[in-house]
Amino acid sequence: MCNFGIVESVGSKKGEAVVVKPYLSDSCMGCQNKCGRFGKPIEALNPHQFPLREKQTVRLRVSRVQFFVQGFFSLFFPIVCSFASLFAAPKLVALLFKPDFASRHFQALEFLMVLATFLLSSALVFFLSRTDFVISRPEIEDIIIDG
């Protein structure tokens, strides 16, 4: 996640989310070129009740717990799915293939099932990470540049 962004709009009520356009990289913050290299606008929380206005540059923060859970899920979910398919492979091979074919090619079929499960679960993690699905919103930690 990017650490900095520009406030695009501020909610009128106290406690409403603030729309922030994140910088694509932290080095874009000091750049004077107007190349428009911003990420997709996101909603951020303002727990410290900073007096925000449009065009201010702010520092964003994600909770450490959420950061850990996302990393843990993206790393271990495909591995856990692969081990589960490894234990389920004998029953699936017997169910899906004829007994003589399954007995001759059991190890190859088992390997292909584990590989397919790993690739499908990795693809699921990849596509979920590219969606707008969020567990919790990032928080505004500080005002960096008063726009």
Side-chain angles (χ1 to χ4, degrees), residues 31-140:
C31 182
Q32 298 302 318
N33 296 332
K34 303 294 181 193
C35 61
R37 298 220 179 242
F38 291 103
K40 204 161 104 176
I42 58 172
E43 289 185 352
L45 299 175
N46 187 6
H48 303 291
Q49 299 300 320
F50 292 119
L52 296 175
R53 295 185 315 272
E54 292 183 10
K55 307 295 183 203
Q56 286 180 318
T57 301
V58 294
R59 178 180 288 141
L60 301 172
R61 174 178 76 84
V62 177
S63 72
R64 294 181 196 272
V65 173
Q66 181 184 358
F67 192 72
F68 174 76
V69 167
Q70 287 176 339
F72 187 81
F73 177 77
S74 63
L75 180 65
F76 289 110
F77 179 71
I79 295 170
V80 169
C81 287
S82 298
F83 276 115
S85 70
L86 184 64
F87 292 117
K91 292 187 180 202
L92 286 174
V93 167
L95 183 69
L96 297 175
F97 299 102
K98 294 180 182 178
D100 61 330
F101 181 79
S103 64
R104 283 185 283 144
H105 303 290
F106 177 74
Q107 288 182 334
L109 292 172
E110 186 178 44
F111 171 75
L112 290 175
M113 284 186 177
V114 170
L115 181 65
T117 305
F118 180 77
L119 292 175
L120 287 173
S121 59
S122 296
L124 177 68
V125 168
F126 176 78
F127 289 119
L128 278 178
S129 69
R130 301 304 189 263
T131 63
D132 292 336
F133 175 73
V134 291
I135 296 171
S136 69
R137 296 179 186 142
E139 297 176 353
I140 295 175

Side-chain angles (χ1 to χ4, degrees), residues 1-16:
M1 168 161 176
C2 295
N3 293 328
F4 301 98
I6 290 184
V7 175
E8 196 171 77
S9 68
V10 180
S12 58
K13 297 178 186 170
K14 197 172 189 173
E16 276 189 328

